[in-house]
Amino acid sequence: MAGKVFFSVSMSLDGFIAPESPEELMGKLWMELQAWVFPQRFFRENLKLGGGGKEGRDNDIVRETFERTGASVMGKRMFDAGEQMWPEEPPFHTPVFVVTHEKRDPWERPGGTTFHFVNDGIESALAQAREAAAGRDVRIAGGGATILEHLNAGLVDEFSIALSPVLFGNGVRLFDGVDASRIALEQVRSEPSSRVTHLTYAVRQR
C-alpha cells in the first residue's frame, strides 16, 4: 500500500515559514524559528554535529518524521539554498526529487541521498518519489511555493506544523494563495512542548 504524502514545517505565530530572501536563511529570525530543533539529540546525530542533545517529545517527533520518510520532493529554490548550506552528507539519506526547469544528471551524495532533477512538473516528481519510497511516506520538503502547489492540487494527505513563539512580520507565508474552497482540514493531534506546539492535520477535499 502506498504511503502518505505529507509536509512538516516550523511556522511563526504570524504564519511565516521562511524569510523572503534566501540570503536571510540562517539569519536571526530563521534561527529563532528553528531554535526548538537544533538542540535535539536526533537532529544533532543526523547532521553529525557531535554527541549529546536533548531527548523528549520534541526529539521523538524529529526522529519519527525522519523514519517515516522514504523519499522527498522539493522545489528548486529550496535546493539552491540547501546546496550551499547542507554538509557533504545531506540530512535526507533517501532519494530527493527536485522540481525544476534545469536539466541535470542525478547528484549522488554520501550517506544515501541522491538528488534527481525533474523537469515535467510536480505530478511526475511525486510519482517518482512514491515509487522510490517503496510504501513509506513521501515528504514535500519545501519551500513554501512547492508545498502550496501540492496542497492546492489535492496531493497532500497530512501535514504537521511546529508553531513557534516567534513573529516574523514578513517573509514566505505558508498558506498565502491556498485554495480554501477545495481544502478541508481535520485536526489529528495537538502536542505542546516547552518550545513549540506541534499541530497535525489530515487534509480532505471539500
Side-chain angles (χ1 to χ4, degrees):
M1 181 178 294
K4 292 180 179 179
V5 177
F6 79 103
F7 65 86
S8 179
V9 296
S10 298
M11 188 174 78
S12 69
L13 280 175
D14 50 348
F16 298 96
I17 59 170
E20 191 65 46
S21 169
E23 287 72 34
E24 296 177 70
L25 286 173
M26 306 301 288
K28 183 174 185 295
L29 279 178
W30 189 86
M31 295 294 284
E32 289 180 7
L33 179 68
Q34 304 290 351
W36 72 275
V37 75
F38 294 137
Q40 305 309 320
R41 176 183 288 274
F42 185 84
F43 179 86
R44 293 182 55 81
E45 290 174 350
N46 193 31
L47 268 77
K48 299 191 179 339
L49 299 177
K54 294 182 177 296
E55 298 190 25
R57 188 60 187 136
D58 284 337
N59 186 65
D60 291 344
I61 286 172
V62 175
R63 186 185 66 254
E64 289 163 6
T65 301
F66 174 85
E67 289 177 347
R68 70 182 287 192
T69 302
S72 295
V73 176
M74 71 176 59
K76 182 64 160 51
R77 184 178 186 267
M78 180 178 178
F79 173 79
D80 285 345
E83 189 175 15
Q84 305 302 316
M85 295 187 301
W86 292 318
E88 183 182 8
E89 186 174 312
F92 303 98
H93 308 291
T94 63
V96 178
F97 296 85
V98 182
V99 182
T100 177
H101 296 296
E102 177 187 6
K103 294 189 182 299
R104 180 171 169 179
D105 292 334
W107 187 38
E108 187 174 347
R109 307 302 295 145
T113 301
T114 299
F115 294 95
H116 302 269
F117 301 89
V118 182
N119 305 129
D120 51 351
I122 60 171
E123 288 86 358
S124 175
L126 184 56
Q128 293 178 61
R130 283 186 182 278
E131 183 175 357
R136 293 166 68 196
D137 294 343
V138 174
R139 181 178 184 178
I140 311 303
T146 301
I147 288 172
L148 188 68
E149 193 175 0
H150 282 81
L151 193 58
N152 282 342
L155 299 173
V156 175
D157 300 308
E158 182 180 286
F159 65 86
S160 296
I161 291 171
L163 192 62
S164 180
V166 178
L167 297 173
F168 259 52
N170 59 68
V172 177
R173 193 185 291 274
L174 177 58
F175 295 113
D176 191 14
V178 70
D179 187 353
S181 67
R182 296 184 57 201
I183 297 167
L185 304 178
E186 175 188 336
Q187 183 159 309
V188 177
R189 276 188 308 279
S190 175
E191 297 184 71
S193 75
S194 61
R195 289 175 171 262
V196 294
T197 300
H198 298 280
L199 304 170
T200 301
Y201 299 92
V203 181
R204 306 281 185 255
Q205 295 297 306
R206 285 194 185 278

